[in-house]
Amino acid sequence: MKKNVLIIGAGGVAQVVAHKCAQNNDLLGQIALASRTLEKCEAIAKSVVEKDSMKLAGTIQCYALDALDVAATAALIRETQSQIVINVGSAFINMSVLSACIETGAAYLDTAIHEEPNKICEEPPWYGNYEWKRKELCTEKKITAILGVGFDPGVVNAYAALAKQDYFDTLSSIDIIDINAGDHGRYFATNFDPEINFREFTGRVWSWQNSQWTKNKMFEVKRTDDLPVVGERTSYLTGHDEIHSLSKNLDVPDIRFWMGFGEHYINVFTVLNSLGLLSEQPVKTAEGLEVVPLKLVKAVLPDPTSLAADYTGKTCIGDLVKGKKDGKEHEVFIYNVVDHKEAYNEVGSQGISYTAGVPPVAAAILVAQGIWDVEKMVNVEELPPTPFLNLLNQMGLTTNIRDEQGERPLTFS
Amino acid sequence: MKKNVLIIGAGGVAQVVAHKCAQNNDLLGQIALASRTLEKCEAIAKSVVEKDSMKLAGTIQCYALDALDVAATAALIRETQSQIVINVGSAFINMSVLSACIETGAAYLDTAIHEEPNKICEEPPWYGNYEWKRKELCTEKKITAILGVGFDPGVVNAYAALAKQDYFDTLSSIDIIDINAGDHGRYFATNFDPEINFREFTGRVWSWQNSQWTKNKMFEVKRTDDLPVVGERTSYLTGHDEIHSLSKNLDVPDIRFWMGFGEHYINVFTVLNSLGLLSEQPVKTAEGLEVVPLKLVKAVLPDPTSLAADYTGKTCIGDLVKGKKDGKEHEVFIYNVVDHKEAYNEVGSQGISYTAGVPPVAAAILVAQGIWDVEKMVNVEELPPTPFLNLLNQMGLTTNIRDEQGERPLTFS
């Protein structure tokens, strides 16, 4: 039984995490919030007060923290007596925050694979280059570390585990499809940090096909599906975190990730990428100034958190799973739909941040309750999916299924 | 009778100017070349030696010069005993070089209107904000200053004057059409300094219609013409230097400039411009670095001089003039065609630089011969066009006409 949560990060996802922790502080205890910029933490804490999100009376304590500093992070974990750390900061800080958790015994939860600033689209399995190197140490020290417990990765890994547990004897393919059918009304914007967003697509995209790693270029392979709520949508084969663990943990020959993009997004991306403006490597201007092009592009694009107030429409993210049950081929689509406006009204963030921010709080509750406090390092598909999806149903992320019997919500009891 | 030429600038146009001055050094005397970067001057001087361009034995003397420094520029004019200055440096240095010429008595020739770094697409007539403020002083001091004597502005102004002199009693419209039907083989590149190139299009575009200034946005108005050699081409209403003088010096109700762009150029421009990446105003990155976006875009694009070796295809630039002659409506198209490859073989630059670099040398020869040494400030349409076009015919830029009698070269004797 663990309690007291330290949230690291202060972007749109951290805003959701803070609100959801506040709504469940009877289970989670004290909540602390830390990021490099104290003002951003304070703005989130203020929003929690304004929306009256705290279930039991209390406040969110805010701290300025350089999370690359392991000693400072460990000290803050001790100072706040946090037994659970939810890391929703930049993907560059995973390994240092994980170190601080291992040092202090706190449970570690994050929502994306570790990245190094000067490297993109690393060799698979990407986790093998970073987090998984600490797997044995976590087992030895009884550290609960749940990797990639956002929506994708995270909930989609639980959907895969659920499919295997309840709907199939053998699985032949898992196609994770992520569609944002929302509209932010700007000429162009990314839904989370543009730097992290573009880094996913500027190198190779890795997929798991015929039980081996396959590489493609972005936008080289696409599919079109008629999906629940959002209708007919085109999505593109993309590299993504969950493929790097699902391919190891589930015995499925084809595991692919597909992300929906409109033609306009693809055009803007292609122009910027072709000109070298998405590069993570510095270039020098005629005046001798060294500039990382991607950082300038980030500076001219809208701050993703500024999109939330005007965002309309819905997201649809799910797993299309094929395989055999009782000797017969069949397929199911297990999915979630979020409305941007409803998310904004509840927690002040748009739907993309909402889908990413609710799951780590559900996971933290399961850790606090001992249900997921596994005292080792795991990816989400290695955990029992039912308690997680059941809790998410209650917390605002409902699970639905489409199969031979049509579309319907799933309940777990 | 003036002699000895100082060329200021060391880009693709300066390369053409240097070669053409060398080919005519019997008329022009000593040739000096100055720019901020000495190495660029030396590379051009070396190319003149390699191509054996000097008519009479001699060398081009190279100098490092900050042409914004009037005293240093005047000192170099005196040191090199130059009586003619050809300014083909950045448009930011016009006013300081002009000052140095007024101070030393040298004739001043340039190929574009003065610009200030932090201002774009200024109020018309643009010349009125800068060069024309020195008109009286030039008259008083008997300074020959020929403004905008490249191709466009420059030769197209002479075409307008020729049309008025030889083909019409009254003119109703002059549409200057500039088509580059060449192919540089790169994903995207500009044919001259990207910074100067994009600054033409990111604000308002001014045209002279119904005898008044009219403003539009770039790519708002287009036309399609079936043109000699290059065939059917679409061009877009663009602001351009020559409209600012022709509208004052010729009594013509409609004077417009049209530039040809492919859909790919327009798309790349639109993406960059919409995102704010073509701005001349600095932005700050998350790390606190101040960057002028346009300067980074310039840094990632190919150096225009690097395009020359692979450039194929032709340019077609001309004046479509309509009006009355002997009471009858008619129209003529007076134009020039340049082949990129032939330009490269002759002087090591592509066709766009060739069309811009040959005319100021022809003008310098006419000044040296006394024919255009007018001892005042003028735009090209104020000078007799025939000697200029006759000389250009001999120097590689032939003038052609298309009218009721078909297409044919024009000769002047």
Side-chain angles (χ1 to χ4, degrees), chain B residues 288-303:
Chain B
L289 190 67
E290 281 223 339
V291 184
V292 173
L294 184 51
K295 291 189 183 290
L296 178 71
V297 169
K298 174 176 172 171
V300 299
L301 290 181
D303 177 348

Side-chain angles (χ1 to χ4, degrees), chain B residues 184-202:
Chain B
H184 50 57
R186 309 295 179 93
Y187 172 76
F188 184 84
T190 58
N191 294 303
F192 55 99
D193 184 346
E195 189 177 0
I196 300 297
N197 182 251
F198 286 128
R199 286 167 58 99
E200 283 186 4
F201 312 136
T202 50

Side-chain angles (χ1 to χ4, degrees), chain A residues 268-386:
Chain A
V268 171
F269 172 88
T270 303
V271 167
L272 296 178
N273 196 38
S274 301
L275 296 180
L277 286 167
L278 300 184
S279 175
E280 76 285 357
Q281 305 294 336
V283 299
K284 197 178 269 190
T285 70
E287 293 75 21
L289 190 68
E290 281 221 341
V291 184
V292 173
L294 184 51
K295 291 189 182 291
L296 177 70
V297 169
K298 174 177 173 171
V300 299
L301 290 180
D303 178 348
T305 62
S306 73
L307 307 173
D310 303 319
Y311 228 121
T312 57
K314 296 176 196 293
T315 65
C316 175
I317 316 174
D319 293 19
L320 180 66
V321 186
K322 297 184 183 179
K324 282 192 179 176
K325 178 77 173 175
D326 303 328
K328 273 180 59 184
E329 298 277 350
H330 85 136
E331 70 175 64
V332 302
F333 183 56
I334 306 174
Y335 64 97
N336 166 262
V337 170
V338 159
D339 182 276
H340 287 289
K341 201 79 207 160
E342 288 175 12
Y344 181 71
N345 291 340
E346 183 192 339
V347 298
S349 285
Q350 33 86 340
I352 312 282
S353 299
Y354 194 85
T355 61
V358 176
V361 181
I365 293 170
L366 294 177
V367 170
Q369 294 173 328
I371 301 169
W372 268 19
D373 191 15
V374 290
E375 299 187 339
K376 59 181 177 179
M377 176 182 283
V378 290
N379 290 84
V380 173
E381 65 274 20
E382 299 176 80
L383 296 165
T386 315

Side-chain angles (χ1 to χ4, degrees), chain B residues 2-19:
Chain B
K2 292 190 164 74
K3 67 171 187 172
N4 300 336
V5 176
L6 171 62
I7 305 163
I8 297 178
V13 177
Q15 162 116 0
V16 178
V17 171
H19 275 271

Side-chain angles (χ1 to χ4, degrees), chain A residues 6-26:
Chain A
L6 171 63
I7 305 164
I8 297 179
V13 178
Q15 162 114 359
V16 178
V17 171
H19 276 271
K20 285 294 176 183
C21 283
Q23 291 173 11
N24 294 280
N25 71 341
D26 55 332

Side-chain angles (χ1 to χ4, degrees), chain B residues 7 11-23 44 47-48 88 343 346-361 395 397:
Chain B
I7 305 163
V13 177
Q15 162 116 0
V16 178
V17 171
H19 275 271
K20 285 294 177 183
C21 283
Q23 291 172 11
I44 290 175
S47 146
V48 168
V88 284
E346 184 191 339
V347 299
S349 285
Q350 33 87 340
I352 313 283
S353 299
Y354 193 85
T355 61
V358 176
V361 181
M395 289 175 70
L397 291 179

